[in-house]
């Protein structure tokens, strides 16, 4: 009897691993390879140090040149890898850099830098199995220096949009249908910020957006809310005072849950320079660029950056008036 029990126990020991192996082998029948795409152009203008960082930390997802480990190619892990690569290529493809304009390249580099500084890229789950892809503080400084040099090489912009004659008579429309309006100059300022590129950013909100901020009604933001971030270069006066200098762009976010389903209900637009040139060649630009950063960095505030907890809350107003 004891011998029979031992035999059954031994069989179970072998059967369980064999069953696991059989399942894994079966899963490989449903393995879908990552689509092979040609390399049309690299970042030839970037310094070798910057390119080395991107190749080590970004190329496995954001390019057509994957160098996957064996465990990345086995189902079911390969299904997640394929999904991540497909999505990453849509956001930014470093093997198709030649397809981007100079302004788009600069914007992509700022996106890369922002995600690295926030610790959002490379993805933490990716780093668990690919520790060599981790970016160091020194790596970030190298990317930052190059990114800032791109911004400095851009053609100078003209005066801020609030100045007379700084906007065209016929206001432009973004490829996804978001319309520029100069009405935001009369809206409430809900936040201000500066960035490492020595810019000044003033965030305006229409009445619907301001009400949502006061009530912390971000989940979701109400339809009709519009937020505009106007960006200027910092200009230092002789007395040391910092004021807005050259106008850079006006960034619009317009909430319409039905119209902008693929970008969390937000319509994104950016209008740059004196002519307020809209960003994007077609309506997909926001899906491929803008929303990826907003999902990673601003999910807690309904996908909007630079949102204060309140706008002039009553408690603060009463405290000031009582003094």
């Amino acid at each position: 009897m004891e011998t029979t029990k031992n035999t059954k126990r031994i069989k179970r020991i072998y059967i369980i691993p064999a069953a696991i192996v059989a399942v894994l082998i079966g899963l490989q029948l449903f393995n879908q390879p990552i689509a092979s795409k040609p390399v049309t152009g690299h970042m030839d203008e970037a310094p070798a140090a910057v390119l080395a960082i991107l190749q080590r930390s970004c190329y496995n997802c954001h390019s057509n040149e994957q160098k996957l480990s064996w465990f990345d190619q086995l189902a079911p892990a390969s299904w997640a890898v394929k999904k991540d690569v497909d999505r990453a290529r849509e956001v930014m493809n470093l093997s198709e850099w030649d397809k981007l304009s100079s302004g788009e390249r600069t914007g992509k580099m700022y996106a890369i830098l922002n995600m690295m500084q926030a610790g959002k890229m490379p993805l933490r789950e990716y780093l668990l199995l690919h520790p060599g892809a981790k970016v160091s503080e020194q790596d970030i400084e190298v990317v930052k220096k190059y990114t800032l040099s791109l911004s400095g090489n851009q053609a100078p912009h003209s005066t801020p949009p609030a100045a007379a004659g700084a906007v065209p008579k016929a206001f432009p429309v973004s490829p996804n249908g978001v319309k520029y309006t100069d009405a935001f100059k009369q809206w409430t300022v809900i936040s201000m910020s500066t960035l490492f590129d020595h810019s000044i950013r003033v965030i305006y909100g229409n009445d619907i957006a301001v009400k949502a901020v006061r009530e912390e009604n971000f989940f979701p933001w109400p339809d009709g809310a519009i937020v505009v971030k106007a960006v200027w270069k910092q200009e230092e006066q002789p007395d040391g005072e910092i004021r807005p200098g050259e106008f850079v762009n006006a960034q619009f976010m317009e909430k319409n849950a039905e119209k902008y389903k693929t970008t969390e209900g937000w319509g994104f637009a950016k209008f740059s320079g004196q002519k307020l040139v809209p960003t994007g060649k077609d309506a997909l630009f926001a899906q491929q660029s803008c929303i990826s950063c907003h999902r990673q960095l601003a999910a807690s505030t309904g996908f909007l950056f630079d949102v204060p907890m309140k706008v002039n809350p009553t408690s603060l107003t009463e405290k000031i008036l009582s003094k």
Side-chain angles (χ1 to χ4, degrees), residues 37-42 55 59-68 89 93-96:
K37 295 184 177 182
V39 176
T40 62
H42 283 294
Q55 288 175 335
Y59 264 61
N60 255 1
C61 291
H62 291 277
S63 80
N64 298 334
E65 306 163 72
Q66 280 67 44
K67 295 181 180 179
L68 301 178
R89 283 175 170 177
N93 194 327
L94 295 168
S95 296
E96 298 177 0

Side-chain angles (χ1 to χ4, degrees), residues 49-50 53 109 113 116-117 135-149 196:
V50 172
I53 293 169
M109 284 306 306
L113 179 57
M116 285 184 173
Q117 289 190 135
V135 291
S136 64
E137 290 299 323
Q138 184 177 357
D139 292 334
I140 293 174
E141 283 302 311
V142 171
V143 174
K144 179 178 179 180
K145 183 178 179 181
Y146 173 61
T147 303
L148 291 176
S149 74
F196 53 80

